[in-house]
Structure formats: C-alpha cells, structure tokens
C-alpha cells in the first residue's frame, strides 16, 4: 500500500513512512494511492471477532507490507488490553433505532485513545526497526494531547511536545496533559485558539531545516495512521447491527474532521453506510458548508464542547481531494486560497457529492445543555457535551425505516463535570485511576502565538533528551 499527498508534490511513501512523516512536505495530507475494498463475504468473516483482532484485520490492507501482520495483531492486542470495558467500544441502545457507541473507555477517557494507544506502539516498532528517534509535535483542542501523552510518555525513541490553547480546554483536559511528568514530554499553553496551535504545528513542518534537524512527526489526525486506526470501530458497530446485510448510519461530533473522515473511509472501502451526520457546535463551518456551500472561516468562539472549537478542519482536505477527483493541483489551490482569504470556493458538483453522503448539524450551548438534560431524564444516560451534540444530530437526521443510527460518544462525562452537573444535577466522578488528578502537580510553559518561541521550546526538549 502506497500513499500520495493531497497536493501531489510530495514523495510517495508506504505506511511506515507516512506514520513517521505525518504531514507531507508540500503541506498536503497523505491518502491511499488506491483504496482497498471489502466485499460482503469479507465483512461477514469479521463478525464476532474480539475488537483487537477486528482492528488488525481492517487495518491490514492499509498497513500493507510495512509491518508484518502478526506484529500488527500483537500491537492491537496490547493497545486495547488496558481499556476499561471488555468490549472496548460497547454499543448502548437508547431507542428503537438509536444507539451510542462509547469510545471513551481508554486511559484518558476520550475517543483519541482508540488511535493513539496503537500509534504509540506503532512508533516504537518502526523506530526500533529503523534505529531512529523522532520529535512529535501536536496541537490539541482538548483530548488529542492527553491521549498522545498517555501513548508516548516515557518511550525511549520519542520526544513529544503538545500545544493547547490557553484557557480553552476543560480543567480535566488540561490537567490530564500538564500532570504528566516524564522527561520526554513538554506541554505548551499558546496564547490563542486551537487554530493558532494547529497553524504553529504546520509551520514547524513547513520549516524544512527545523523539520530535518529534529526529525519531526505528528500525532494529530493529519497523520494518516490516526485515521486508519479509527476505521475499525465503525466496522465493529456496523457488524454488530447486521452489516453487511443491513445498512447503518453514523452521527459524529466533529471538530478537525478526522473522526467523521474515518467513517467516510469505512464507507469508501465497502462498509454499507447509508448516511453520515457531521455534528458541530456554534463553530459551525462544516454545517454551513454542507447546508449552503459556505466554507467561510469565522472567529473561534469558546463553547461547552471545546474539542469542537475549530474553524480550520484539517482533515477536510482529504475529503476535498476526493471530491475534486484526486486533483492535487486543484486541492492545493483551494487550500491556499482558504488560508489566504478565509473562504473556500468548492465547485457545486463537488459540494453535491459531499451532501449526498454527509449531512450537517449544529447545536449551541443552551441546546447542548438541554440535550444532556433531556437524554438523562428520558433514558438515564449521562452524556458529555460533545456526545450530546452527536446524539442530538442522530435524532435530527434519522436514516430511514429500519436503518440504525449510531451516535459516537467521544468523551466520558467526567471530563466535563460542570456542564453535566448543571444540566442533570449529577456530578460525574472520575474513574479510580484519575481520582487524584486535581492533587497532581502541573508542568507546562505559556508562550505567545510565535513560531520562533515555540520552536526554541521544542528544540530544547529534543536536545535535552538526546545523547
């Protein structure tokens, strides 16, 4: 399996090369050169498998010959062994055709663990095989950072620096990052928004001498390996609900577009997905695009669902590349215009192709609190703000008679206790392993939105840990 850049001007790489590269040198994102296909008998053969075995088999064609399959199986088994639910990604039924898939049973209580627990092990394997070391830089709107640190802290061949927007994560999210004390870890609070953090990460990759000096890599969903590791849980939900002999639909809380892109990829390889719903909060650029072909960036507004407080959704570029018939020049031109003007002109025919599969949905903060309260009163289910938006989106866009709709529960309610308690009167407790989180010392630095200052901090960490 080979991978190409969405902008067409970067080296072709295999899975291991894409894992280590993260962002392509031309600023694009890596995607499969050719997509694998699972026929109905292939899907049926996966029914009933434990989640780690299912994940390895779904990922196998994306990994190709880069990693032996037996090794991939072992890495998947190790990655999910410590999750807090035996099913790893359990389904909870809320109504006749409405289900929730819980993706928050990993060590940091968020769906990012599903990919990053595996990515940490993939990095270990590939770097050991190549006798290399990398410096990972990542931006987080709340959950990616803690999941990345949980996956990479203490690993011998990895230094990791996470940027988060100062004051724009929940306190639990921040402390899950800043209380990690391993020597290979650095946390930076950026005086700005998540989009600023993400721009700084992309600027570091674009700084060719800096990228080469520190052997930069990425754990954000700009890294294709993240997307590949998220496809299996969509397969798990669909197979449990009757696929491939029954269609299924998904509603996905959406910020950087990676999670729903994995659902789109599952459909692309043959999973019978009837409908996708991209669920947004007040930062609704994706909903506006899907409703009206309005891809205009606005100021990021803080909300109850901070992981979705994004206006520049990086993974949209991968969808755009497909919508533009894999034209790298056209994709690059559209993305450059978007960065320069804050507006993207998507051809009408391409927009219609997107709308044929993906629907948009938005919910503001009062609506989110109301949905948390309604859901708890009707079913007893506690949902965090992100998951509540996804569930509301599923109710607003049913997929048709007999087609189950699955809302993705992306975070444990205890990560956002104030919002949940205000809506329901119930204060969700952190699991035992995190019960002392507020007693742990924090360690991070605060920096302005300035590339030189951030690069100096990243360089200091990497040099400190290298012989």
């Amino acid at each position: 399996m080979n991978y190409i850049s969405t902008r067409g001007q970067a080296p072709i790489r295999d899975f291991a090369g894409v894992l280590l590269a993260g962002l392509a040198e031309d600023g694009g994102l890596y995607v499969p050169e050719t997509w694998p296909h699972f026929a109905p008998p292939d899907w049926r053969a996966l029914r009933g498998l434990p989640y780690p075995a299912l994940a390895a088999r779904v990922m196998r064609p994306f990994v190709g010959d880069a990693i032996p399959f037996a090794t991939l199986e072992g890495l998947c088994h190790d990655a999910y062994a410590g999750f807090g639910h035996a099913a790893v990604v359990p389904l909870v039924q809320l109504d006749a055709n409405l289900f929730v898939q819980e993706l928050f049973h990993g060590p940091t209580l968020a769906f990012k663990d599903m990919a990053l627990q595996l990515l940490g092990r993939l990095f270990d394997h590939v770097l050991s095989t190549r006798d290399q070391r990398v410096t990972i830089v990542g931006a987080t709107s709340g959950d990616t950072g803690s999941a990345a640190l949980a996956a990479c802290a203490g690993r011998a061949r990895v230094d990791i620096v996470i940027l988060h927007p100062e004051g724009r994560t929940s306190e639990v999210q921040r402390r899950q990052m800043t209380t990690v004390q391993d020597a290979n870890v650095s946390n930076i609070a950026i005086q700005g928004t998540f989009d600023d953090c993400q721009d700084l990460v992309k600027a570091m990759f674009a700084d060719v001498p800096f990228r080469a000096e520190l052997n930069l890599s990425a754990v954000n969903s700009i890294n294709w390996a993240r997307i590949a590791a998220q496809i299996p849980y969509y397969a798990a939900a669909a197979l449990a609900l009757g696929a491939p002999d029954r269609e299924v639909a998904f509603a996905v809380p959406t910020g950087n577009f990676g999670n729903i892109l994995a659902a789109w990829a599952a459909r692309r390889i043959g999973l019978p997905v009837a409908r996708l719903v991209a669920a947004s909060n007040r930062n609704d650029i994706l909903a506006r695009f899907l409703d009206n072909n309005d891809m205009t960036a606005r100021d990021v507004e803080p909300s109850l669902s901070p992981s979705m407080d994004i206006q520049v959704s990086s993974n949209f570029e991968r969808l755009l590349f497909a919508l533009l018939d894999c034209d790298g020049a056209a994709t690059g031109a559209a993305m450059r215009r978007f960065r320069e003007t804050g507006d993207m002109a998507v051809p009408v025919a391409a927009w219609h192709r997107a709308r044929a599969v993906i629907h948009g949905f938005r919910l503001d903060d009062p609506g989110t609190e109301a949905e948390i309260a309604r859901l708890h009163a009707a079913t007893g289910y506690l949902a965090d703000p992100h998951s509540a938006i996804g569930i509301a989106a599923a109710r607003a866009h049913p997929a048709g008679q007999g087609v189950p709709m699955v809302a993705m529960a992306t975070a444990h309610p205890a990560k956002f206790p104030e919002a949940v308690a205000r809506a329901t009167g119930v204060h969700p407790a952190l699991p035992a392993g995190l019960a002392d989180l507020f007693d742990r010392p924090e360690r991070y630095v605060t920096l302005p939105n300035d590339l030189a200052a951030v690069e100096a901090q990243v360089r200091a960490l990497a040099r400190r840990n290298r012989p």
Side-chain angles (χ1 to χ4, degrees), residues 326-368:
C326 303
D327 185 333
T331 303
M335 294 306 301
R336 284 190 292 274
R337 169 178 167 166
F338 183 58
R339 300 304 303 181
E340 291 167 1
T341 69
D343 179 60
M344 183 186 298
V346 178
V348 172
W351 173 60
H352 280 297
R353 285 200 293 274
R355 282 168 50 90
V357 178
I358 309 174
H359 296 252
F361 177 83
R362 65 178 61 78
L363 195 64
D364 60 14
D365 280 0
T368 300

Side-chain angles (χ1 to χ4, degrees), residues 304-344:
L304 294 177
S305 45
S307 296
M308 299 158 68
D309 290 348
I310 297 171
Q311 286 289 325
V312 182
S313 301
S314 284
N315 275 285
F316 183 79
E317 180 167 341
R318 287 185 165 114
L319 177 65
L320 180 66
F321 180 67
L323 296 175
L324 296 178
D325 298 318
C326 303
D327 185 333
T331 303
M335 294 306 301
R336 284 190 292 274
R337 169 178 167 166
F338 183 58
R339 300 304 303 181
E340 291 167 1
T341 69
D343 179 60
M344 183 186 298

Side-chain angles (χ1 to χ4, degrees), residues 117-432:
Q117 281 296 303
L118 181 56
L119 246 65
R121 290 160 172 83
L122 288 168
F123 272 113
D124 255 0
H125 172 76
V126 173
L127 291 170
S128 296
T129 300
R130 299 185 176 194
D131 192 23
Q132 292 180 358
R133 184 182 184 89
V134 296
T135 302
I136 291 174
V137 291
T140 186
S141 54
D143 289 329
T144 290
S146 58
L149 295 180
C152 296
R155 296 195 180 274
R157 294 178 178 271
V158 171
D159 298 315
I160 181 167
V161 181
I162 296 296
L163 283 58
H164 71 270
E166 183 184 25
R168 291 181 180 239
T169 67
S170 77
E171 188 171 4
V172 170
Q173 287 177 312
R174 188 192 75 243
R175 285 179 172 273
Q176 283 186 298
M177 293 183 283
T178 60
T179 58
V180 178
Q181 300 297 321
D182 296 78
N184 70 324
V185 167
S186 182
N187 283 285
I188 304 176
I190 297 295
Q191 294 169 329
T193 68
F194 168 75
D195 288 340
D196 295 326
C197 295
Q198 186 164 248
D199 285 345
L200 285 165
V201 169
K202 291 182 177 180
M204 282 185 272
F205 275 91
D207 183 343
V208 176
F210 182 78
R211 176 175 182 162
E213 174 195 349
L214 299 184
N215 200 14
L216 287 191
S217 191
V219 291
N220 286 68
S221 53
I222 60 174
N223 192 321
W224 170 260
R226 273 274 306 271
I227 305 300
Q230 291 175 263
I231 297 170
Y233 52 73
Y234 289 102
L239 292 171
L241 294 170
D245 305 302
R246 183 192 197 190
E247 287 188 313
V248 67
F250 296 100
V252 188
T254 304
N256 214 22
F257 207 72
N259 201 4
I260 196 167
L261 186 86
W264 175 87
R267 185 179 189 272
R268 180 70 178 76
I269 66 173
L271 197 69
V273 176
R275 171 176 297 177
L276 297 172
V277 185
S280 302
N281 61 17
R282 65 174 66 176
N283 299 290
D284 63 350
I285 185 170
L286 294 170
R288 286 186 283 111
F289 165 71
L290 291 163
D291 287 351
N292 305 306
N293 199 9
D294 174 12
M295 197 72 169
T296 306
R298 300 174 181 173
D299 290 339
V300 176
E301 299 181 24
S303 76
L304 294 177
S305 45
S307 296
M308 299 158 68
D309 290 348
I310 297 171
Q311 286 289 325
V312 182
S313 301
S314 284
N315 275 285
F316 183 79
E317 180 167 341
R318 287 185 165 114
L319 177 65
L320 180 66
F321 180 67
L323 296 175
L324 296 178
D325 298 318
C326 303
D327 185 333
T331 303
M335 294 306 301
R336 284 190 292 274
R337 169 178 167 166
F338 183 58
R339 300 304 303 181
E340 291 167 1
T341 69
D343 179 60
M344 183 186 298
V346 178
V348 172
W351 173 60
H352 280 297
R353 285 200 293 274
R355 282 168 50 90
V357 178
I358 309 174
H359 296 252
F361 177 83
R362 65 178 61 78
L363 195 64
D364 60 14
D365 280 0
T368 300
E369 285 200 7
E371 178 63 18
I372 296 171
R374 183 207 66 79
L375 185 63
H376 184 253
T379 68
Y381 192 82
L382 277 183
D384 88 286
H386 307 76
S387 305
I389 293 172
I391 294 167
R395 293 195 304 110
H397 291 279
Q401 185 67 34
V403 178
M405 172 66 81
V406 182
M408 314 312 282
T410 54
H412 192 289
K415 296 198 78 164
F416 304 92
E418 294 84 3
V420 174
R422 194 163 53 245
T424 66
V426 177
H427 194 283
L430 287 166

Side-chain angles (χ1 to χ4, degrees), residues 3 15 38 54-64 72 76 80 118-119 122 225 228-232:
Y3 291 86
F15 180 84
F38 287 69
L54 171 70
R57 282 161 176 76
V58 172
M59 289 185 66
R60 184 177 194 172
F62 293 105
V63 174
L72 179 63
C76 288
Y80 302 117
L118 181 56
L119 246 65
L122 288 168
Q230 291 175 263
I231 297 170

